[in-house]
Amino acid sequence: MAFDQTLEPDDEALLVLYANGDRHAAAELTSRLAPRLLPFCNRMLRDLAEAEDVVQEAMLRLWKIAPDWKSGQAKPSTWVFKVASNLCTDRLRKRRGVGLDEIAEPEDDRPGAEAQLLQTERLSALDVALQTLPERQRQAVILRHIEGMTNPEIGEILEISVEAVESLTARGKRGLAAALQGRKEELGL
């Protein structure tokens, strides 16, 4: 019994195909990675336009290194998240002289149904609570619990050990719990 089984190439194969001139591979890899990068960058920077710029810059850097990509050293997703994380950190360092109240909130243009309103309130409370965490804890928590990355991947991105990732995420979760403690009932948690 034979059947046609189409196997999609993994991220690394797509990057190699792009390096060899396949523009469609670049589009496919971008459609896989950019939607995951944007929410991470937006949560870090709290500015959608700036987050979009970071995603674009991170993807451009991935395309630039494609011809020199060393297979087996890192996954393209891990590499590009590391670049985006560093770009976000650089932007945050540059803006440290600016108060948080002066930074515009990202606009939300989703419809206003009741369920979405509660979800929006929860996400807003989470975003505010995330901002109370130290930068490294915030990065670790976002990458682990929102982006769903593994501790080894996060360790590679943040250039720390798996044990340090576990410590950062545990402290970050405790910090989030403390920050959200007074709002559990209001948010239906």
Side-chain angles (χ1 to χ4, degrees), residues 25-176:
E28 175 64 26
L29 191 54
T30 299
S31 71
R32 288 183 189 180
L33 297 177
R36 291 179 57 208
L37 280 173
L38 185 60
F40 167 72
C41 294
N42 192 30
R43 282 191 174 92
M44 288 301 300
L45 299 169
R46 297 181 56 85
D47 182 323
L48 185 58
E50 202 170 3
E52 289 170 343
D53 289 345
V54 167
V55 170
Q56 184 177 22
E57 177 65 25
M59 293 305 297
L60 285 172
R61 289 184 184 193
L62 183 62
W63 304 137
K64 285 181 185 175
I65 61 99
D68 301 319
W69 186 259
K70 305 264 191 280
S71 292
Q73 288 186 346
K75 296 191 315 188
S77 60
T78 305
W79 187 92
V80 80
F81 263 93
K82 181 177 180 177
V83 169
S85 179
N86 289 339
L87 290 169
C88 286
T89 297
D90 289 347
R91 286 176 182 247
L92 288 169
R93 285 182 183 148
K94 286 180 184 174
R95 81 157 80 133
R96 282 214 170 105
V98 177
L100 287 178
D101 293 334
E102 298 172 34
I103 299 170
E105 289 287 326
E107 289 188 30
D108 182 12
D109 34 22
R110 292 181 289 179
E114 285 184 43
Q116 286 188 343
L117 183 58
L118 180 57
Q119 182 65 13
T120 299
E121 284 185 48
R122 287 177 178 163
L123 289 174
S124 178
L126 176 61
D127 283 341
V128 170
L130 280 168
Q131 295 307 312
T132 67
L133 298 177
E135 185 176 317
R136 298 291 276 183
Q137 286 180 21
R138 186 169 68 242
Q139 286 176 324
V141 167
I142 292 170
L143 290 170
R144 179 72 182 110
H145 295 288
I146 296 175
E147 297 302 326
M149 293 189 162
T150 65
N151 288 347
E153 289 174 322
I154 297 166
E156 192 173 328
I157 290 168
L158 299 180
E159 297 178 333
I160 57 176
S161 68
V162 171
E163 293 80 15
V165 170
E166 291 167 356
S167 176
L168 281 173
T169 55
R171 288 191 320 240
K173 284 171 53 178
R174 284 192 302 270
L176 285 176

